[in-house]
Amino acid sequence: PSGRWDTNTGPLRDYSPMLAPRSLALCIFIGFKGMFREFNLEDSSNIVALLNDADVSKWTSHIPFPYTENDAISWLKNQENSLRKPLAIEIENKLVGCISYWHLDSLTTEVGYWIGKSFWGKGIATTAVSSLLDSTIFPTTPKVAAKVAAENIGSQRVLEKCGFKVNKKCRVEKSGKMIDAFFYIKTNA
């Protein structure tokens, strides 16, 4: 399914054969044509360019800083064995971030995402989360969850705009230390 996004009506669920080999979904991000697609090894240098930034790494639980080409290649090669389903967020043929989902338990799918710093503040994360949740590729579970560092106000706003509510305070590991976080839940009707 293309999952194309119309800025007035939301996701369109028709199938676009022209996009099928490369993309899992197509979205319109604030006037820019964007899509979700699978990552490939050719993305490694672009991933490094986006993630080798202390400000990006600071808000993620598993991305180290500095981030190297070896880190990117290792992550890309291990995706086949991962329970997480990462999707590249691409706008106008440029990689700008990642959104992933995985089963937390039988009733809950968890989402996580990162956006390269030069693309912050453009509504990309909000549109990506909303588009993924509305797409036909996203698992149908009664709840969707996300964990966000307590100081990451930007990601908290993203989730709240997408209908998530704080469920509880929690702690997550970051670089071998436990940090305060919020556990967000969105209940599917």
Side-chain angles (χ1 to χ4, degrees), residues 159-185:
L159 294 172
E160 290 164 3
K161 287 178 190 175
C162 293
F164 287 76
K165 305 259 187 252
V166 174
N167 180 264
K168 62 184 175 183
K169 290 182 179 181
C170 63
R171 302 208 17 109
V172 295
E173 185 178 343
K174 172 63 182 166
S175 303
K177 299 176 189 170
M178 297 305 288
I179 63 168
D180 291 332
F182 293 111
F183 188 77
Y184 277 81
I185 292 284

PDB file of all heavy atoms in Angstrom, residues 159-185:
ATOM      1  N   LEU A 159       4.249  13.515  20.126  1.00  0.00           N
ATOM      2  CA  LEU A 159       3.336  12.444  20.546  1.00  0.00           C
ATOM      3  C   LEU A 159       1.968  12.988  20.944  1.00  0.00           C
ATOM      4  O   LEU A 159       0.938  12.406  20.604  1.00  0.00           O
ATOM      5  CB  LEU A 159       3.964  11.642  21.674  1.00  0.00           C
ATOM      6  CG  LEU A 159       5.218  10.857  21.273  1.00  0.00           C
ATOM      7  CD1 LEU A 159       5.879  10.241  22.499  1.00  0.00           C
ATOM      8  CD2 LEU A 159       4.899   9.800  20.230  1.00  0.00           C
ATOM      9  N   GLU A 160       1.947  14.096  21.659  1.00  0.00           N
ATOM     10  CA  GLU A 160       0.665  14.673  22.085  1.00  0.00           C
ATOM     11  C   GLU A 160      -0.157  15.135  20.878  1.00  0.00           C
ATOM     12  O   GLU A 160      -1.371  14.948  20.853  1.00  0.00           O
ATOM     13  CB  GLU A 160       0.913  15.801  23.085  1.00  0.00           C
ATOM     14  CG  GLU A 160       1.409  15.238  24.414  1.00  0.00           C
ATOM     15  CD  GLU A 160       2.045  16.254  25.337  1.00  0.00           C
ATOM     16  OE1 GLU A 160       2.086  17.469  25.007  1.00  0.00           O
ATOM     17  OE2 GLU A 160       2.536  15.837  26.416  1.00  0.00           O
ATOM     18  N   LYS A 161       0.497  15.706  19.867  1.00  0.00           N
ATOM     19  CA  LYS A 161      -0.220  16.097  18.641  1.00  0.00           C
ATOM     20  C   LYS A 161      -0.797  14.884  17.928  1.00  0.00           C
ATOM     21  O   LYS A 161      -1.781  15.001  17.194  1.00  0.00           O
ATOM     22  CB  LYS A 161       0.716  16.842  17.684  1.00  0.00           C
ATOM     23  CG  LYS A 161       1.069  18.241  18.118  1.00  0.00           C
ATOM     24  CD  LYS A 161       2.044  18.850  17.123  1.00  0.00           C
ATOM     25  CE  LYS A 161       2.603  20.145  17.623  1.00  0.00           C
ATOM     26  NZ  LYS A 161       3.641  20.674  16.702  1.00  0.00           N
ATOM     27  N   CYS A 162      -0.188  13.729  18.126  1.00  0.00           N
ATOM     28  CA  CYS A 162      -0.645  12.488  17.479  1.00  0.00           C
ATOM     29  C   CYS A 162      -1.612  11.703  18.354  1.00  0.00           C
ATOM     30  O   CYS A 162      -1.947  10.557  18.047  1.00  0.00           O
ATOM     31  CB  CYS A 162       0.562  11.625  17.099  1.00  0.00           C
ATOM     32  SG  CYS A 162       1.575  12.368  15.795  1.00  0.00           S
ATOM     33  N   GLY A 163      -2.069  12.288  19.464  1.00  0.00           N
ATOM     34  CA  GLY A 163      -3.095  11.657  20.284  1.00  0.00           C
ATOM     35  C   GLY A 163      -2.595  10.800  21.426  1.00  0.00           C
ATOM     36  O   GLY A 163      -3.381  10.116  22.077  1.00  0.00           O
ATOM     37  N   PHE A 164      -1.286  10.818  21.711  1.00  0.00           N
ATOM     38  CA  PHE A 164      -0.735  10.066  22.836  1.00  0.00           C
ATOM     39  C   PHE A 164      -0.945  10.847  24.128  1.00  0.00           C
ATOM     40  O   PHE A 164      -0.979  12.070  24.125  1.00  0.00           O
ATOM     41  CB  PHE A 164       0.768   9.836  22.648  1.00  0.00           C
ATOM     42  CG  PHE A 164       1.140   8.827  21.605  1.00  0.00           C
ATOM     43  CD1 PHE A 164       1.077   9.135  20.254  1.00  0.00           C
ATOM     44  CD2 PHE A 164       1.589   7.562  21.976  1.00  0.00           C
ATOM     45  CE1 PHE A 164       1.439   8.216  19.285  1.00  0.00           C
ATOM     46  CE2 PHE A 164       1.953   6.634  21.016  1.00  0.00           C
ATOM     47  CZ  PHE A 164       1.879   6.958  19.669  1.00  0.00           C
ATOM     48  N   LYS A 165      -1.052  10.114  25.221  1.00  0.00           N
ATOM     49  CA  LYS A 165      -1.155  10.708  26.558  1.00  0.00           C
ATOM     50  C   LYS A 165      -0.103  10.071  27.462  1.00  0.00           C
ATOM     51  O   LYS A 165       0.212   8.882  27.316  1.00  0.00           O
ATOM     52  CB  LYS A 165      -2.538  10.434  27.160  1.00  0.00           C
ATOM     53  CG  LYS A 165      -3.690  10.887  26.286  1.00  0.00           C
ATOM     54  CD  LYS A 165      -4.256  12.175  26.755  1.00  0.00           C
ATOM     55  CE  LYS A 165      -5.498  12.534  25.986  1.00  0.00           C
ATOM     56  NZ  LYS A 165      -5.355  13.609  25.061  1.00  0.00           N
ATOM     57  N   VAL A 166       0.421  10.860  28.408  1.00  0.00           N
ATOM     58  CA  VAL A 166       1.377  10.303  29.372  1.00  0.00           C
ATOM     59  C   VAL A 166       0.654   9.265  30.203  1.00  0.00           C
ATOM     60  O   VAL A 166      -0.398   9.528  30.784  1.00  0.00           O
ATOM     61  CB  VAL A 166       1.978  11.397  30.278  1.00  0.00           C
ATOM     62  CG1 VAL A 166       2.856  10.778  31.365  1.00  0.00           C
ATOM     63  CG2 VAL A 166       2.781  12.396  29.465  1.00  0.00           C
ATOM     64  N   ASN A 167       1.221   8.058  30.262  1.00  0.00           N
ATOM     65  CA  ASN A 167       0.652   6.970  31.046  1.00  0.00           C
ATOM     66  C   ASN A 167       1.304   6.901  32.412  1.00  0.00           C
ATOM     67  O   ASN A 167       0.642   6.661  33.409  1.00  0.00           O
ATOM     68  CB  ASN A 167       0.816   5.660  30.277  1.00  0.00           C
ATOM     69  CG  ASN A 167       0.273   4.469  30.999  1.00  0.00           C
ATOM     70  OD1 ASN A 167       1.025   3.760  31.664  1.00  0.00           O
ATOM     71  ND2 ASN A 167      -1.029   4.244  30.889  1.00  0.00           N
ATOM     72  N   LYS A 168       2.639   7.106  32.425  1.00  0.00           N
ATOM     73  CA  LYS A 168       3.376   7.050  33.690  1.00  0.00           C
ATOM     74  C   LYS A 168       4.793   7.572  33.478  1.00  0.00           C
ATOM     75  O   LYS A 168       5.268   7.686  32.355  1.00  0.00           O
ATOM     76  CB  LYS A 168       3.424   5.624  34.231  1.00  0.00           C
ATOM     77  CG  LYS A 168       4.147   4.646  33.309  1.00  0.00           C
ATOM     78  CD  LYS A 168       4.094   3.223  33.846  1.00  0.00           C
ATOM     79  CE  LYS A 168       4.721   2.252  32.857  1.00  0.00           C
ATOM     80  NZ  LYS A 168       4.626   0.873  33.317  1.00  0.00           N
ATOM     81  N   LYS A 169       5.442   7.886  34.568  1.00  0.00           N
ATOM     82  CA  LYS A 169       6.865   8.200  34.528  1.00  0.00           C
ATOM     83  C   LYS A 169       7.619   6.877  34.524  1.00  0.00           C
ATOM     84  O   LYS A 169       7.152   5.883  35.073  1.00  0.00           O
ATOM     85  CB  LYS A 169       7.284   9.026  35.745  1.00  0.00           C
ATOM     86  CG  LYS A 169       6.739  10.433  35.731  1.00  0.00           C
ATOM     87  CD  LYS A 169       7.238  11.212  36.929  1.00  0.00           C
ATOM     88  CE  LYS A 169       6.706  12.628  36.897  1.00  0.00           C
ATOM     89  NZ  LYS A 169       7.178  13.418  38.035  1.00  0.00           N
ATOM     90  N   CYS A 170       8.774   6.869  33.881  1.00  0.00           N
ATOM     91  CA  CYS A 170       9.587   5.664  33.854  1.00  0.00           C
ATOM     92  C   CYS A 170      11.059   6.066  33.773  1.00  0.00           C
ATOM     93  O   CYS A 170      11.380   7.254  33.817  1.00  0.00           O
ATOM     94  CB  CYS A 170       9.194   4.757  32.681  1.00  0.00           C
ATOM     95  SG  CYS A 170       9.446   5.476  31.051  1.00  0.00           S
ATOM     96  N   ARG A 171      11.908   5.081  33.663  1.00  0.00           N
ATOM     97  CA  ARG A 171      13.340   5.344  33.493  1.00  0.00           C
ATOM     98  C   ARG A 171      13.799   4.514  32.307  1.00  0.00           C
ATOM     99  O   ARG A 171      13.319   3.400  32.094  1.00  0.00           O
ATOM    100  CB  ARG A 171      14.111   4.979  34.751  1.00  0.00           C
ATOM    101  CG  ARG A 171      13.550   5.780  35.913  1.00  0.00           C
ATOM    102  CD  ARG A 171      14.387   6.149  37.079  1.00  0.00           C
ATOM    103  NE  ARG A 171      15.795   6.131  37.099  1.00  0.00           N
ATOM    104  CZ  ARG A 171      16.555   7.236  37.119  1.00  0.00           C
ATOM    105  NH1 ARG A 171      15.994   8.423  37.076  1.00  0.00           N
ATOM    106  NH2 ARG A 171      17.852   7.145  37.224  1.00  0.00           N
ATOM    107  N   VAL A 172      14.696   5.089  31.524  1.00  0.00           N
ATOM    108  CA  VAL A 172      15.273   4.384  30.385  1.00  0.00           C
ATOM    109  C   VAL A 172      16.787   4.482  30.472  1.00  0.00           C
ATOM    110  O   VAL A 172      17.329   5.412  31.068  1.00  0.00           O
ATOM    111  CB  VAL A 172      14.771   4.935  29.034  1.00  0.00           C
ATOM    112  CG1 VAL A 172      13.284   4.695  28.861  1.00  0.00           C
ATOM    113  CG2 VAL A 172      15.101   6.403  28.865  1.00  0.00           C
ATOM    114  N   GLU A 173      17.454   3.508  29.868  1.00  0.00           N
ATOM    115  CA  GLU A 173      18.910   3.513  29.873  1.00  0.00           C
ATOM    116  C   GLU A 173      19.424   4.339  28.699  1.00  0.00           C
ATOM    117  O   GLU A 173      18.941   4.222  27.582  1.00  0.00           O
ATOM    118  CB  GLU A 173      19.457   2.092  29.765  1.00  0.00           C
ATOM    119  CG  GLU A 173      20.960   2.064  29.889  1.00  0.00           C
ATOM    120  CD  GLU A 173      21.534   0.668  29.830  1.00  0.00           C
ATOM    121  OE1 GLU A 173      20.780  -0.307  30.006  1.00  0.00           O
ATOM    122  OE2 GLU A 173      22.745   0.557  29.596  1.00  0.00           O
ATOM    123  N   LYS A 174      20.398   5.184  28.982  1.00  0.00           N
ATOM    124  CA  LYS A 174      21.076   5.971  27.956  1.00  0.00           C
ATOM    125  C   LYS A 174      22.554   6.014  28.303  1.00  0.00           C
ATOM    126  O   LYS A 174      22.935   6.525  29.353  1.00  0.00           O
ATOM    127  CB  LYS A 174      20.491   7.393  27.880  1.00  0.00           C
ATOM    128  CG  LYS A 174      21.253   8.341  26.967  1.00  0.00           C
ATOM    129  CD  LYS A 174      21.211   7.874  25.538  1.00  0.00           C
ATOM    130  CE  LYS A 174      22.018   8.792  24.647  1.00  0.00           C
ATOM    131  NZ  LYS A 174      22.286   8.238  23.343  1.00  0.00           N
ATOM    132  N   SER A 175      23.380   5.426  27.469  1.00  0.00           N
ATOM    133  CA  SER A 175      24.840   5.422  27.651  1.00  0.00           C
ATOM    134  C   SER A 175      25.240   4.866  29.014  1.00  0.00           C
ATOM    135  O   SER A 175      26.092   5.428  29.711  1.00  0.00           O
ATOM    136  CB  SER A 175      25.405   6.834  27.459  1.00  0.00           C
ATOM    137  OG  SER A 175      25.070   7.337  26.191  1.00  0.00           O
ATOM    138  N   GLY A 176      24.568   3.770  29.417  1.00  0.00           N
ATOM    139  CA  GLY A 176      24.918   3.116  30.668  1.00  0.00           C
ATOM    140  C   GLY A 176      24.337   3.774  31.911  1.00  0.00           C
ATOM    141  O   GLY A 176      24.604   3.322  33.031  1.00  0.00           O
ATOM    142  N   LYS A 177      23.564   4.836  31.755  1.00  0.00           N
ATOM    143  CA  LYS A 177      22.942   5.523  32.892  1.00  0.00           C
ATOM    144  C   LYS A 177      21.430   5.461  32.746  1.00  0.00           C
ATOM    145  O   LYS A 177      20.900   5.415  31.635  1.00  0.00           O
ATOM    146  CB  LYS A 177      23.357   6.999  32.932  1.00  0.00           C
ATOM    147  CG  LYS A 177      24.831   7.227  33.089  1.00  0.00           C
ATOM    148  CD  LYS A 177      25.117   8.717  33.021  1.00  0.00           C
ATOM    149  CE  LYS A 177      26.617   8.946  32.958  1.00  0.00           C
ATOM    150  NZ  LYS A 177      26.948  10.323  32.658  1.00  0.00           N
ATOM    151  N   MET A 178      20.738   5.478  33.866  1.00  0.00           N
ATOM    152  CA  MET A 178      19.282   5.519  33.841  1.00  0.00           C
ATOM    153  C   MET A 178      18.841   6.981  33.889  1.00  0.00           C
ATOM    154  O   MET A 178      19.332   7.755  34.706  1.00  0.00           O
ATOM    155  CB  MET A 178      18.697   4.742  35.017  1.00  0.00           C
ATOM    156  CG  MET A 178      19.026   3.249  34.993  1.00  0.00           C
ATOM    157  SD  MET A 178      18.538   2.414  33.469  1.00  0.00           S
ATOM    158  CE  MET A 178      16.763   2.392  33.660  1.00  0.00           C
ATOM    159  N   ILE A 179      17.934   7.352  32.969  1.00  0.00           N
ATOM    160  CA  ILE A 179      17.433   8.727  32.934  1.00  0.00           C
ATOM    161  C   ILE A 179      15.917   8.715  33.073  1.00  0.00           C
ATOM    162  O   ILE A 179      15.252   7.737  32.760  1.00  0.00           O
ATOM    163  CB  ILE A 179      17.854   9.458  31.636  1.00  0.00           C
ATOM    164  CG1 ILE A 179      17.258   8.792  30.405  1.00  0.00           C
ATOM    165  CG2 ILE A 179      19.367   9.562  31.528  1.00  0.00           C
ATOM    166  CD1 ILE A 179      17.392   9.606  29.124  1.00  0.00           C
ATOM    167  N   ASP A 180      15.372   9.842  33.532  1.00  0.00           N
ATOM    168  CA  ASP A 180      13.930   9.982  33.677  1.00  0.00           C
ATOM    169  C   ASP A 180      13.281  10.076  32.301  1.00  0.00           C
ATOM    170  O   ASP A 180      13.831  10.706  31.379  1.00  0.00           O
ATOM    171  CB  ASP A 180      13.584  11.239  34.479  1.00  0.00           C
ATOM    172  CG  ASP A 180      13.990  11.122  35.941  1.00  0.00           C
ATOM    173  OD1 ASP A 180      14.035   9.986  36.453  1.00  0.00           O
ATOM    174  OD2 ASP A 180      14.258  12.165  36.565  1.00  0.00           O
ATOM    175  N   ALA A 181      12.115   9.469  32.188  1.00  0.00           N
ATOM    176  CA  ALA A 181      11.386   9.478  30.921  1.00  0.00           C
ATOM    177  C   ALA A 181       9.890   9.395  31.201  1.00  0.00           C
ATOM    178  O   ALA A 181       9.471   9.208  32.353  1.00  0.00           O
ATOM    179  CB  ALA A 181      11.825   8.298  30.054  1.00  0.00           C
ATOM    180  N   PHE A 182       9.118   9.559  30.144  1.00  0.00           N
ATOM    181  CA  PHE A 182       7.679   9.379  30.206  1.00  0.00           C
ATOM    182  C   PHE A 182       7.290   8.240  29.279  1.00  0.00           C
ATOM    183  O   PHE A 182       7.841   8.104  28.187  1.00  0.00           O
ATOM    184  CB  PHE A 182       6.935  10.649  29.786  1.00  0.00           C
ATOM    185  CG  PHE A 182       7.116  11.798  30.731  1.00  0.00           C
ATOM    186  CD1 PHE A 182       7.848  12.906  30.356  1.00  0.00           C
ATOM    187  CD2 PHE A 182       6.559  11.758  32.001  1.00  0.00           C
ATOM    188  CE1 PHE A 182       8.023  13.967  31.223  1.00  0.00           C
ATOM    189  CE2 PHE A 182       6.723  12.817  32.883  1.00  0.00           C
ATOM    190  CZ  PHE A 182       7.460  13.924  32.488  1.00  0.00           C
ATOM    191  N   PHE A 183       6.332   7.442  29.723  1.00  0.00           N
ATOM    192  CA  PHE A 183       5.779   6.351  28.929  1.00  0.00           C
ATOM    193  C   PHE A 183       4.444   6.838  28.405  1.00  0.00           C
ATOM    194  O   PHE A 183       3.510   7.061  29.173  1.00  0.00           O
ATOM    195  CB  PHE A 183       5.626   5.102  29.804  1.00  0.00           C
ATOM    196  CG  PHE A 183       5.233   3.868  29.051  1.00  0.00           C
ATOM    197  CD1 PHE A 183       6.168   3.172  28.308  1.00  0.00           C
ATOM    198  CD2 PHE A 183       3.932   3.393  29.101  1.00  0.00           C
ATOM    199  CE1 PHE A 183       5.817   2.020  27.616  1.00  0.00           C
ATOM    200  CE2 PHE A 183       3.568   2.239  28.411  1.00  0.00           C
ATOM    201  CZ  PHE A 183       4.524   1.564  27.659  1.00  0.00           C
ATOM    202  N   TYR A 184       4.367   7.050  27.099  1.00  0.00           N
ATOM    203  CA  TYR A 184       3.153   7.542  26.447  1.00  0.00           C
ATOM    204  C   TYR A 184       2.364   6.375  25.867  1.00  0.00           C
ATOM    205  O   TYR A 184       2.943   5.396  25.396  1.00  0.00           O
ATOM    206  CB  TYR A 184       3.513   8.493  25.305  1.00  0.00           C
ATOM    207  CG  TYR A 184       3.788   9.907  25.722  1.00  0.00           C
ATOM    208  CD1 TYR A 184       5.019  10.271  26.243  1.00  0.00           C
ATOM    209  CD2 TYR A 184       2.830  10.900  25.561  1.00  0.00           C
ATOM    210  CE1 TYR A 184       5.279  11.586  26.601  1.00  0.00           C
ATOM    211  CE2 TYR A 184       3.070  12.211  25.923  1.00  0.00           C
ATOM    212  CZ  TYR A 184       4.309  12.543  26.443  1.00  0.00           C
ATOM    213  OH  TYR A 184       4.561  13.851  26.806  1.00  0.00           O
ATOM    214  N   ILE A 185       1.045   6.519  25.882  1.00  0.00           N
ATOM    215  CA  ILE A 185       0.135   5.513  25.304  1.00  0.00           C
ATOM    216  C   ILE A 185      -0.902   6.221  24.437  1.00  0.00           C
ATOM    217  O   ILE A 185      -1.412   7.290  24.784  1.00  0.00           O
ATOM    218  CB  ILE A 185      -0.604   4.716  26.407  1.00  0.00           C
ATOM    219  CG1 ILE A 185       0.362   3.819  27.175  1.00  0.00           C
ATOM    220  CG2 ILE A 185      -1.754   3.901  25.845  1.00  0.00           C
ATOM    221  CD1 ILE A 185       0.785   2.568  26.434  1.00  0.00           C
TER     222      ILE A 185
END
